[in-house]
Amino acid sequence: MTTETKPAKKAGDRAWDAASVAMVNKATADCVDTCFSRMDTQQNQCAFGRQGICCRICYMGPCRITAKAPRGVCGADADTIVARNLLREVAGGTAAHSDHGRHLALLLKRVAEGKGGDYRIKDEPVLRQEARWYKVEEAGRSANEVALDLANLFLNEFSSQEEPLRTLALAPVKRRGVWEKEGILPQGIDRMCVEALHRSTMGVDHDYEHLLKHAFRTALADGWGGSRVASIVSDILFGSPSPVRSEANLGVLGARTVNVVVHGHEPALSEMLAIASQDADMLAQARAAGAEGITLAGICCTANEILIRHGIPIAGNFLQQELALVTGAVEMMVVDVQCCMPSLPSVAAAYHTEIVSTSDIAKTIGATHAAFDEEKALACAKDLISRAIANYKNRQPGKMSIPPARSPLVAGFSVEAIKYMLGGRYRASFRPLNDAVMQGRIHGVVGIVGCNNPKTRVDEYINTLTRELIKRNVLVLKTGCAAIASAKEGMLTPEAALEAAGPGLREVCEAVGIPPVLHMGSCVDNSRILEAATEMVKEGGLGDDLSMIPAVGVAPEWMSEKAVAIGCYFVASGVDVILGHPFHIAGSAKVTQFLNEDVRGLFGASFHVCEDARSAAEHIFKLLDQRREKLGINQKMERKLFDMKDRRGV
Ligand code: NFS
Ligand code: SF4
């Protein structure tokens, strides 16, 4: 077995943006450990783990596969072990997205029953539209009656034992046929996750292909099920996103305001914090404490959720969570679930920051736990803001340094919003986009999603690839921390199109007033990318399935199990996925071949690994070209030529 040894990195090698680099340096000066220094102490990471050939599923093990020991004690070989491990990752990711969706569906139910405290149905038209879509009777019924039926329908998506997911009906007919043929139509989300754990426990499913097909089935329950439910219910309860202006990066923190940072994924509490932070009493309290006001800012996907609905600024993406604390200017960081590092309280201990955990399923040693009571949500939010205000006096000015970095952005491109931008209120449609793709003004559509990873320089791959693609007339759709990377770079403004986009893309962006990079929301909102792709299929002219439209998904700097699930549901949906670094599967040539090649025969798409942005851009272009070729739209349509033909009356 070989191990990797790398020399310690300089701060400038850690991150792309200067604000993060400055805070990495400050952390070192303040003797604060961050993920960057811990990445160094974790060097020589386990090569068995990296290749996926370590199994600790039963207590005859742990077993590791080597040339001398090609089978575990039970007889499992590398193929079985690698496939089981990957399946469990997909189940973990699916469970995370979907449990988030479940919590929201339960909240919708309580609201419908009049037990939702301060929550209301904010977007009744969306509620009714979704009800009609799912064949829930809505005409002549109250919003609450409709919401109760819809909430129960969504909750049934988790528990359904025999019926395939209702949310799959959103996919193109042909695609549903593919899933049926391959035997991967998912039933209830919970059932898929339980079955994944069952099949991968000792002595059950040993056929790597069979295991991996269940990984795709489980992932479909995420992308078209749990994540979808999360996005829809968020829209109903908190409003469907439409384009808003805001700012991003650590410079959004105020030098003289009480700074409250929300971090995690579930939008329920942060919605209330957004209201509480603008409350007149709270602002008066802040002023009485000597501050000029209250700044609410976000990290990770909680940030994306309140950005796309309220324009609340973004403090940073995943690997800036510790760096935000290192500014010494954060009074309180409120965390809920997912991607919140257990290190936060120890980083906070070097400053005056209080870390508050709020989810009953997520506690951290060293954090204050303030259980969030949904029925008294606004009061809970105000309590938190009051505590943050009280903490303002504990700031240590000598330890404070806020980097002067804040970039303007526009975010909030739900599918409805894109349709509206493209076609206008009365003829909202994807037609202009499809036409631009068919004419070659837009070469294709690429979704760039996912996390950051301290193994590589933060945001570098994401930002280099984004620039390269828009330069080549590719429209880029973004979610999650990848979207925040672009926000920090100033690429989420329509003006960016003028400077950085190729002429065809620029023309379209200017005509409809959109940026060349569209921020569609959090990671559960990747379901919106599938929805947008489906709209393109339905609009016509680009084939009758998702495997035909010129679209590719990319996760450049991913780190989470959730990204594994996302990758799998994109591929199973017929969209090729580029990974910036591979899954932990290198220990099985067969699993690698299955995922990177064979699945193309099943789904019309597969995984590809491109370790740097430039090779990814080349590869993406090749994939888009292949699809354009098949559609017969790959001729460069010189419009001058057209004009001449027109003039000749051909
Ligand atoms: Ni997505 Fe969002 Fe960010 Fe990665 Fe984490 S916040 S759910 S998992 S790190 S993109
Ligand atoms: Fe080892 Fe098999 Fe047990 Fe895994 S399941 S730990 S390979 S004996």
Side-chain angles (χ1 to χ4, degrees), residues 453-512:
N453 190 321
K455 286 181 174 171
T456 54
R457 192 171 171 217
V458 177
D459 295 342
E460 179 173 12
Y461 191 144
I462 296 171
N463 286 336
T464 312
L465 178 63
T466 304
R467 275 190 183 275
E468 196 59 35
L469 290 178
I470 63 174
K471 192 171 82 192
R472 298 184 186 195
N473 298 311
V474 172
L475 179 67
V476 176
L477 307 180
K478 286 211 167 179
T479 60
C481 291
I484 301 177
S486 282
K488 289 189 280 173
E489 266 238 306
M491 297 301 280
L492 300 186
T493 61
E495 298 75 42
L498 270 177
E499 282 178 39
L505 177 63
R506 188 168 75 203
E507 194 186 312
V508 176
C509 288
E510 282 179 334
V512 294

Short mmCIF file of all heavy atoms in Angstrom, two decimals, residues 453-512:
data_model
loop_
_atom_site.label_atom_id
_atom_site.label_comp_id
_atom_site.label_asym_id
_atom_site.label_seq_id
_atom_site.Cartn_x
_atom_site.Cartn_y
_atom_site.Cartn_z
N ASN A 453 -13.27 21.28 -0.28
CA ASN A 453 -12.53 20.20 0.37
C ASN A 453 -11.11 20.69 0.61
O ASN A 453 -10.44 21.11 -0.34
CB ASN A 453 -12.55 18.98 -0.57
CG ASN A 453 -12.02 17.74 0.09
OD1 ASN A 453 -11.06 17.79 0.85
ND2 ASN A 453 -12.65 16.62 -0.21
N PRO A 454 -10.64 20.67 1.86
CA PRO A 454 -9.31 21.23 2.13
C PRO A 454 -8.17 20.44 1.49
O PRO A 454 -7.01 20.85 1.58
CB PRO A 454 -9.21 21.22 3.66
CG PRO A 454 -10.26 20.29 4.12
CD PRO A 454 -11.32 20.22 3.07
N LYS A 455 -8.50 19.35 0.79
CA LYS A 455 -7.46 18.65 0.04
C LYS A 455 -6.97 19.50 -1.12
O LYS A 455 -5.87 19.29 -1.63
CB LYS A 455 -8.01 17.33 -0.51
CG LYS A 455 -8.16 16.27 0.56
CD LYS A 455 -8.69 14.98 -0.04
CE LYS A 455 -8.69 13.91 1.03
NZ LYS A 455 -9.39 12.69 0.58
N THR A 456 -7.82 20.40 -1.58
CA THR A 456 -7.43 21.27 -2.68
C THR A 456 -7.70 22.72 -2.32
O THR A 456 -8.43 23.00 -1.37
CB THR A 456 -8.21 20.93 -3.97
OG1 THR A 456 -9.61 20.97 -3.66
CG2 THR A 456 -7.87 19.55 -4.49
N ARG A 457 -7.14 23.62 -3.10
CA ARG A 457 -7.30 25.04 -2.82
C ARG A 457 -8.77 25.43 -2.96
O ARG A 457 -9.39 25.24 -4.02
CB ARG A 457 -6.44 25.82 -3.82
CG ARG A 457 -6.27 27.27 -3.50
CD ARG A 457 -5.22 27.85 -4.44
NE ARG A 457 -5.16 29.29 -4.31
CZ ARG A 457 -4.96 30.11 -5.33
NH1 ARG A 457 -4.79 29.63 -6.55
NH2 ARG A 457 -4.91 31.40 -5.13
N VAL A 458 -9.32 25.98 -1.88
CA VAL A 458 -10.75 26.26 -1.80
C VAL A 458 -11.22 27.12 -2.98
O VAL A 458 -10.65 28.20 -3.23
CB VAL A 458 -11.09 26.99 -0.48
CG1 VAL A 458 -12.57 27.36 -0.44
CG2 VAL A 458 -10.72 26.13 0.70
N ASP A 459 -12.22 26.67 -3.67
CA ASP A 459 -12.90 27.40 -4.76
C ASP A 459 -12.13 27.45 -6.08
O ASP A 459 -12.68 27.90 -7.09
CB ASP A 459 -13.23 28.87 -4.39
CG ASP A 459 -14.24 29.00 -3.25
OD1 ASP A 459 -14.94 28.02 -2.97
OD2 ASP A 459 -14.30 30.09 -2.65
N GLU A 460 -10.88 27.03 -6.11
CA GLU A 460 -10.09 27.23 -7.33
C GLU A 460 -10.68 26.47 -8.53
O GLU A 460 -10.89 27.04 -9.61
CB GLU A 460 -8.64 26.79 -7.12
CG GLU A 460 -7.81 26.96 -8.40
CD GLU A 460 -6.34 26.71 -8.20
OE1 GLU A 460 -5.94 26.19 -7.14
OE2 GLU A 460 -5.57 27.05 -9.12
N TYR A 461 -10.94 25.19 -8.32
CA TYR A 461 -11.48 24.36 -9.40
C TYR A 461 -12.84 24.91 -9.83
O TYR A 461 -13.11 25.11 -11.02
CB TYR A 461 -11.59 22.92 -8.88
CG TYR A 461 -11.88 21.82 -9.88
CD1 TYR A 461 -11.28 20.56 -9.72
CD2 TYR A 461 -12.76 21.99 -10.93
CE1 TYR A 461 -11.55 19.51 -10.59
CE2 TYR A 461 -13.05 20.94 -11.80
CZ TYR A 461 -12.44 19.71 -11.62
OH TYR A 461 -12.71 18.68 -12.48
N ILE A 462 -13.68 25.18 -8.83
CA ILE A 462 -15.05 25.66 -9.12
C ILE A 462 -14.98 26.93 -9.97
O ILE A 462 -15.63 27.05 -11.01
CB ILE A 462 -15.82 25.96 -7.82
CG1 ILE A 462 -16.01 24.67 -7.00
CG2 ILE A 462 -17.17 26.60 -8.12
CD1 ILE A 462 -16.56 24.91 -5.59
N ASN A 463 -14.17 27.88 -9.52
CA ASN A 463 -14.16 29.18 -10.19
C ASN A 463 -13.46 29.14 -11.55
O ASN A 463 -13.90 29.79 -12.50
CB ASN A 463 -13.51 30.23 -9.28
CG ASN A 463 -14.44 30.63 -8.14
OD1 ASN A 463 -15.65 30.50 -8.25
ND2 ASN A 463 -13.87 31.09 -7.04
N THR A 464 -12.39 28.36 -11.64
CA THR A 464 -11.70 28.26 -12.93
C THR A 464 -12.61 27.61 -13.96
O THR A 464 -12.73 28.07 -15.10
CB THR A 464 -10.40 27.43 -12.78
OG1 THR A 464 -9.69 27.91 -11.65
CG2 THR A 464 -9.53 27.53 -14.00
N LEU A 465 -13.28 26.54 -13.54
CA LEU A 465 -14.17 25.84 -14.47
C LEU A 465 -15.34 26.74 -14.88
O LEU A 465 -15.71 26.79 -16.06
CB LEU A 465 -14.69 24.54 -13.81
CG LEU A 465 -15.68 23.74 -14.66
CD1 LEU A 465 -15.02 23.26 -15.95
CD2 LEU A 465 -16.22 22.54 -13.88
N THR A 466 -15.90 27.44 -13.91
CA THR A 466 -17.04 28.30 -14.22
C THR A 466 -16.66 29.33 -15.29
O THR A 466 -17.38 29.53 -16.27
CB THR A 466 -17.52 29.02 -12.94
OG1 THR A 466 -17.81 28.03 -11.96
CG2 THR A 466 -18.77 29.84 -13.20
N ARG A 467 -15.52 29.97 -15.09
CA ARG A 467 -15.06 30.98 -16.07
C ARG A 467 -14.86 30.37 -17.45
O ARG A 467 -15.27 30.92 -18.46
CB ARG A 467 -13.74 31.60 -15.61
CG ARG A 467 -13.94 32.73 -14.66
CD ARG A 467 -12.64 33.50 -14.40
NE ARG A 467 -12.87 34.53 -13.42
CZ ARG A 467 -13.35 35.74 -13.71
NH1 ARG A 467 -13.60 36.06 -14.97
NH2 ARG A 467 -13.57 36.62 -12.77
N GLU A 468 -14.22 29.21 -17.44
CA GLU A 468 -13.92 28.54 -18.70
C GLU A 468 -15.21 28.20 -19.45
O GLU A 468 -15.30 28.37 -20.68
CB GLU A 468 -13.12 27.27 -18.38
CG GLU A 468 -12.41 26.63 -19.54
CD GLU A 468 -11.41 27.55 -20.22
OE1 GLU A 468 -10.77 28.38 -19.52
OE2 GLU A 468 -11.28 27.45 -21.45
N LEU A 469 -16.20 27.74 -18.71
CA LEU A 469 -17.45 27.32 -19.36
C LEU A 469 -18.24 28.50 -19.90
O LEU A 469 -18.74 28.46 -21.03
CB LEU A 469 -18.31 26.50 -18.39
CG LEU A 469 -17.76 25.12 -18.04
CD1 LEU A 469 -18.67 24.42 -17.03
CD2 LEU A 469 -17.60 24.24 -19.28
N ILE A 470 -18.36 29.56 -19.10
CA ILE A 470 -19.18 30.66 -19.62
C ILE A 470 -18.47 31.36 -20.79
O ILE A 470 -19.11 31.82 -21.71
CB ILE A 470 -19.64 31.66 -18.53
CG1 ILE A 470 -18.49 32.37 -17.87
CG2 ILE A 470 -20.50 31.00 -17.49
CD1 ILE A 470 -18.96 33.45 -16.90
N LYS A 471 -17.15 31.35 -20.74
CA LYS A 471 -16.40 31.90 -21.88
C LYS A 471 -16.75 31.14 -23.16
O LYS A 471 -16.80 31.70 -24.25
CB LYS A 471 -14.90 31.76 -21.58
CG LYS A 471 -14.00 32.54 -22.52
CD LYS A 471 -12.56 32.54 -22.03
CE LYS A 471 -11.86 31.25 -22.41
NZ LYS A 471 -10.56 31.06 -21.74
N ARG A 472 -17.02 29.83 -22.97
CA ARG A 472 -17.37 29.01 -24.14
C ARG A 472 -18.88 28.88 -24.34
O ARG A 472 -19.37 27.87 -24.83
CB ARG A 472 -16.78 27.62 -23.95
CG ARG A 472 -15.26 27.60 -23.86
CD ARG A 472 -14.82 26.19 -23.79
NE ARG A 472 -13.41 26.04 -23.56
CZ ARG A 472 -12.79 24.88 -23.75
NH1 ARG A 472 -13.45 23.83 -24.17
NH2 ARG A 472 -11.51 24.78 -23.50
N ASN A 473 -19.61 29.88 -23.87
CA ASN A 473 -21.06 29.94 -24.12
C ASN A 473 -21.87 28.83 -23.47
O ASN A 473 -22.87 28.38 -24.01
CB ASN A 473 -21.34 29.97 -25.63
CG ASN A 473 -20.73 31.19 -26.28
OD1 ASN A 473 -20.91 32.30 -25.79
ND2 ASN A 473 -19.98 30.98 -27.34
N VAL A 474 -21.41 28.36 -22.31
CA VAL A 474 -22.19 27.37 -21.58
C VAL A 474 -22.90 28.09 -20.43
O VAL A 474 -22.28 28.82 -19.67
CB VAL A 474 -21.27 26.26 -21.01
CG1 VAL A 474 -22.05 25.33 -20.09
CG2 VAL A 474 -20.64 25.47 -22.16
N LEU A 475 -24.21 27.90 -20.35
CA LEU A 475 -24.96 28.48 -19.23
C LEU A 475 -24.73 27.61 -18.00
O LEU A 475 -24.84 26.39 -18.06
CB LEU A 475 -26.46 28.53 -19.58
CG LEU A 475 -27.38 29.08 -18.49
CD1 LEU A 475 -27.14 30.59 -18.26
CD2 LEU A 475 -28.86 28.85 -18.83
N VAL A 476 -24.37 28.24 -16.88
CA VAL A 476 -24.03 27.48 -15.68
C VAL A 476 -25.11 27.65 -14.62
O VAL A 476 -25.50 28.76 -14.28
CB VAL A 476 -22.65 27.92 -15.13
CG1 VAL A 476 -22.34 27.21 -13.82
CG2 VAL A 476 -21.54 27.62 -16.16
N LEU A 477 -25.61 26.51 -14.11
CA LEU A 477 -26.58 26.51 -13.02
C LEU A 477 -25.84 26.07 -11.76
O LEU A 477 -25.06 25.14 -11.81
CB LEU A 477 -27.73 25.53 -13.31
CG LEU A 477 -28.44 25.68 -14.65
CD1 LEU A 477 -29.55 24.64 -14.77
CD2 LEU A 477 -29.02 27.08 -14.81
N LYS A 478 -26.13 26.75 -10.65
CA LYS A 478 -25.36 26.43 -9.44
C LYS A 478 -26.23 26.29 -8.20
O LYS A 478 -27.27 26.94 -8.09
CB LYS A 478 -24.33 27.53 -9.18
CG LYS A 478 -23.18 27.48 -10.13
CD LYS A 478 -21.94 27.98 -9.45
CE LYS A 478 -20.73 27.63 -10.30
NZ LYS A 478 -19.50 28.11 -9.71
N THR A 479 -25.74 25.48 -7.29
CA THR A 479 -26.37 25.38 -5.96
C THR A 479 -25.25 25.23 -4.93
O THR A 479 -24.08 25.10 -5.27
CB THR A 479 -27.26 24.12 -5.85
OG1 THR A 479 -26.43 22.98 -6.07
CG2 THR A 479 -28.42 24.13 -6.82
N GLY A 480 -25.65 25.22 -3.67
CA GLY A 480 -24.76 24.84 -2.57
C GLY A 480 -23.54 25.73 -2.45
O GLY A 480 -23.56 26.92 -2.78
N CYS A 481 -22.46 25.13 -1.99
CA CYS A 481 -21.25 25.89 -1.74
C CYS A 481 -20.56 26.31 -3.04
O CYS A 481 -19.82 27.29 -3.08
CB CYS A 481 -20.31 25.10 -0.84
SG CYS A 481 -21.00 24.97 0.82
N ALA A 482 -20.83 25.57 -4.12
CA ALA A 482 -20.29 25.96 -5.42
C ALA A 482 -20.88 27.29 -5.87
O ALA A 482 -20.20 28.12 -6.47
CB ALA A 482 -20.58 24.88 -6.47
N ALA A 483 -22.16 27.50 -5.55
CA ALA A 483 -22.80 28.78 -5.90
C ALA A 483 -22.17 29.92 -5.10
O ALA A 483 -21.95 31.02 -5.61
CB ALA A 483 -24.30 28.71 -5.63
N ILE A 484 -21.85 29.63 -3.83
CA ILE A 484 -21.26 30.68 -2.99
C ILE A 484 -19.86 31.05 -3.51
O ILE A 484 -19.45 32.21 -3.47
CB ILE A 484 -21.23 30.23 -1.51
CG1 ILE A 484 -22.66 29.94 -1.02
CG2 ILE A 484 -20.57 31.29 -0.63
CD1 ILE A 484 -22.76 29.40 0.40
N ALA A 485 -19.14 30.05 -4.02
CA ALA A 485 -17.82 30.33 -4.60
C ALA A 485 -17.95 31.36 -5.72
O ALA A 485 -17.18 32.33 -5.79
CB ALA A 485 -17.19 29.04 -5.12
N SER A 486 -18.94 31.17 -6.58
CA SER A 486 -19.15 32.13 -7.67
C SER A 486 -19.60 33.48 -7.15
O SER A 486 -19.24 34.52 -7.70
CB SER A 486 -20.21 31.61 -8.65
OG SER A 486 -19.65 30.64 -9.48
N ALA A 487 -20.40 33.44 -6.09
CA ALA A 487 -20.88 34.70 -5.50
C ALA A 487 -19.68 35.53 -5.05
O ALA A 487 -19.59 36.73 -5.34
CB ALA A 487 -21.80 34.41 -4.32
N LYS A 488 -18.74 34.89 -4.37
CA LYS A 488 -17.57 35.59 -3.86
C LYS A 488 -16.74 36.18 -5.00
O LYS A 488 -16.06 37.18 -4.84
CB LYS A 488 -16.71 34.65 -3.01
CG LYS A 488 -17.35 34.28 -1.68
CD LYS A 488 -16.36 33.53 -0.80
CE LYS A 488 -16.27 32.08 -1.19
NZ LYS A 488 -15.20 31.37 -0.46
N GLU A 489 -16.79 35.51 -6.15
CA GLU A 489 -16.02 35.97 -7.31
C GLU A 489 -16.73 37.04 -8.12
O GLU A 489 -16.21 37.50 -9.13
CB GLU A 489 -15.78 34.79 -8.25
CG GLU A 489 -14.47 34.09 -8.02
CD GLU A 489 -13.65 34.10 -9.30
OE1 GLU A 489 -14.17 33.66 -10.35
OE2 GLU A 489 -12.49 34.53 -9.25
N GLY A 490 -17.94 37.36 -7.69
CA GLY A 490 -18.69 38.38 -8.44
C GLY A 490 -19.27 37.86 -9.75
O GLY A 490 -19.64 38.65 -10.62
N MET A 491 -19.36 36.53 -9.86
CA MET A 491 -19.86 35.97 -11.13
C MET A 491 -21.38 35.83 -11.16
O MET A 491 -21.93 35.37 -12.15
CB MET A 491 -19.22 34.61 -11.40
CG MET A 491 -17.72 34.65 -11.55
SD MET A 491 -17.19 35.71 -12.90
CE MET A 491 -17.46 34.62 -14.26
N LEU A 492 -22.04 36.19 -10.07
CA LEU A 492 -23.50 36.05 -10.04
C LEU A 492 -24.21 37.37 -10.32
O LEU A 492 -25.27 37.63 -9.78
CB LEU A 492 -23.96 35.50 -8.68
CG LEU A 492 -23.44 34.13 -8.24
CD1 LEU A 492 -24.12 33.69 -6.96
CD2 LEU A 492 -23.68 33.09 -9.33
N THR A 493 -23.62 38.20 -11.12
CA THR A 493 -24.31 39.43 -11.50
C THR A 493 -24.48 39.44 -13.02
O THR A 493 -23.66 38.88 -13.74
CB THR A 493 -23.49 40.68 -11.12
OG1 THR A 493 -22.24 40.63 -11.81
CG2 THR A 493 -23.22 40.73 -9.62
N PRO A 494 -25.54 40.08 -13.51
CA PRO A 494 -25.72 40.16 -14.96
C PRO A 494 -24.52 40.84 -15.62
O PRO A 494 -24.15 40.51 -16.74
CB PRO A 494 -26.99 41.00 -15.12
CG PRO A 494 -27.73 40.84 -13.85
CD PRO A 494 -26.69 40.68 -12.78
N GLU A 495 -23.89 41.76 -14.89
CA GLU A 495 -22.74 42.48 -15.45
C GLU A 495 -21.58 41.52 -15.76
O GLU A 495 -20.79 41.75 -16.67
CB GLU A 495 -22.24 43.56 -14.48
CG GLU A 495 -23.26 44.66 -14.17
CD GLU A 495 -24.37 44.22 -13.21
OE1 GLU A 495 -24.05 43.52 -12.22
OE2 GLU A 495 -25.54 44.54 -13.44
N ALA A 496 -21.51 40.43 -14.98
CA ALA A 496 -20.43 39.46 -15.20
C ALA A 496 -20.51 38.89 -16.60
O ALA A 496 -19.50 38.52 -17.20
CB ALA A 496 -20.51 38.34 -14.17
N ALA A 497 -21.73 38.81 -17.12
CA ALA A 497 -21.92 38.26 -18.47
C ALA A 497 -21.16 39.09 -19.49
O ALA A 497 -20.51 38.56 -20.40
CB ALA A 497 -23.40 38.22 -18.81
N LEU A 498 -21.23 40.41 -19.30
CA LEU A 498 -20.57 41.32 -20.23
C LEU A 498 -19.09 41.04 -20.32
O LEU A 498 -18.49 41.03 -21.38
CB LEU A 498 -20.75 42.75 -19.74
CG LEU A 498 -21.99 43.48 -20.24
CD1 LEU A 498 -22.05 44.86 -19.61
CD2 LEU A 498 -21.92 43.59 -21.76
N GLU A 499 -18.50 40.83 -19.15
CA GLU A 499 -17.05 40.68 -19.09
C GLU A 499 -16.58 39.29 -19.43
O GLU A 499 -15.59 39.12 -20.13
CB GLU A 499 -16.57 40.99 -17.67
CG GLU A 499 -16.51 42.45 -17.35
CD GLU A 499 -16.08 42.64 -15.92
OE1 GLU A 499 -15.19 41.89 -15.46
OE2 GLU A 499 -16.66 43.52 -15.27
N ALA A 500 -17.27 38.29 -18.87
CA ALA A 500 -16.68 36.96 -18.89
C ALA A 500 -17.34 35.97 -19.84
O ALA A 500 -16.74 34.95 -20.17
CB ALA A 500 -16.67 36.39 -17.47
N ALA A 501 -18.57 36.24 -20.26
CA ALA A 501 -19.27 35.24 -21.07
C ALA A 501 -18.91 35.37 -22.54
O ALA A 501 -18.60 36.46 -23.03
CB ALA A 501 -20.78 35.39 -20.89
N GLY A 502 -18.97 34.25 -23.24
CA GLY A 502 -18.76 34.25 -24.68
C GLY A 502 -19.89 35.02 -25.36
O GLY A 502 -20.93 35.27 -24.75
N PRO A 503 -19.72 35.37 -26.64
CA PRO A 503 -20.68 36.28 -27.29
C PRO A 503 -22.11 35.75 -27.34
O PRO A 503 -23.05 36.52 -27.13
CB PRO A 503 -20.10 36.44 -28.70
CG PRO A 503 -19.06 35.39 -28.85
CD PRO A 503 -18.59 35.03 -27.49
N GLY A 504 -22.29 34.45 -27.60
CA GLY A 504 -23.64 33.90 -27.70
C GLY A 504 -24.37 33.95 -26.36
O GLY A 504 -25.50 34.43 -26.26
N LEU A 505 -23.68 33.47 -25.35
CA LEU A 505 -24.26 33.46 -24.00
C LEU A 505 -24.53 34.90 -23.54
O LEU A 505 -25.56 35.20 -22.95
CB LEU A 505 -23.32 32.74 -23.03
CG LEU A 505 -23.74 32.69 -21.57
CD1 LEU A 505 -25.06 31.93 -21.38
CD2 LEU A 505 -22.65 32.03 -20.71
N ARG A 506 -23.59 35.77 -23.86
CA ARG A 506 -23.73 37.16 -23.43
C ARG A 506 -24.98 37.80 -24.04
O ARG A 506 -25.74 38.49 -23.38
CB ARG A 506 -22.49 37.96 -23.83
CG ARG A 506 -22.50 39.36 -23.26
CD ARG A 506 -21.16 40.02 -23.43
NE ARG A 506 -20.95 40.44 -24.80
CZ ARG A 506 -19.75 40.63 -25.35
NH1 ARG A 506 -18.66 40.40 -24.65
NH2 ARG A 506 -19.65 41.02 -26.59
N GLU A 507 -25.17 37.49 -25.32
CA GLU A 507 -26.33 38.04 -26.01
C GLU A 507 -27.63 37.61 -25.31
O GLU A 507 -28.51 38.43 -25.07
CB GLU A 507 -26.29 37.52 -27.45
CG GLU A 507 -27.19 38.22 -28.41
CD GLU A 507 -27.16 37.51 -29.77
OE1 GLU A 507 -26.05 37.22 -30.27
OE2 GLU A 507 -28.25 37.22 -30.29
N VAL A 508 -27.71 36.32 -24.98
CA VAL A 508 -28.91 35.81 -24.32
C VAL A 508 -29.06 36.45 -22.93
O VAL A 508 -30.14 36.92 -22.57
CB VAL A 508 -28.86 34.27 -24.19
CG1 VAL A 508 -30.06 33.75 -23.42
CG2 VAL A 508 -28.80 33.62 -25.58
N CYS A 509 -27.98 36.48 -22.17
CA CYS A 509 -28.03 37.04 -20.82
C CYS A 509 -28.45 38.50 -20.85
O CYS A 509 -29.26 38.94 -20.03
CB CYS A 509 -26.68 36.92 -20.12
SG CYS A 509 -26.27 35.23 -19.66
N GLU A 510 -27.90 39.23 -21.79
CA GLU A 510 -28.24 40.65 -21.87
C GLU A 510 -29.69 40.85 -22.27
O GLU A 510 -30.38 41.69 -21.73
CB GLU A 510 -27.32 41.36 -22.87
CG GLU A 510 -25.96 41.63 -22.25
CD GLU A 510 -25.01 42.32 -23.22
OE1 GLU A 510 -25.18 42.16 -24.45
OE2 GLU A 510 -24.12 43.01 -22.74
N ALA A 511 -30.14 40.01 -23.20
CA ALA A 511 -31.52 40.16 -23.68
C ALA A 511 -32.52 39.93 -22.56
O ALA A 511 -33.53 40.62 -22.47
CB ALA A 511 -31.78 39.22 -24.85
N VAL A 512 -32.25 38.93 -21.71
CA VAL A 512 -33.24 38.63 -20.66
C VAL A 512 -32.83 39.15 -19.29
O VAL A 512 -33.60 39.04 -18.34
CB VAL A 512 -33.56 37.12 -20.59
CG1 VAL A 512 -34.24 36.66 -21.85
CG2 VAL A 512 -32.33 36.30 -20.33
#
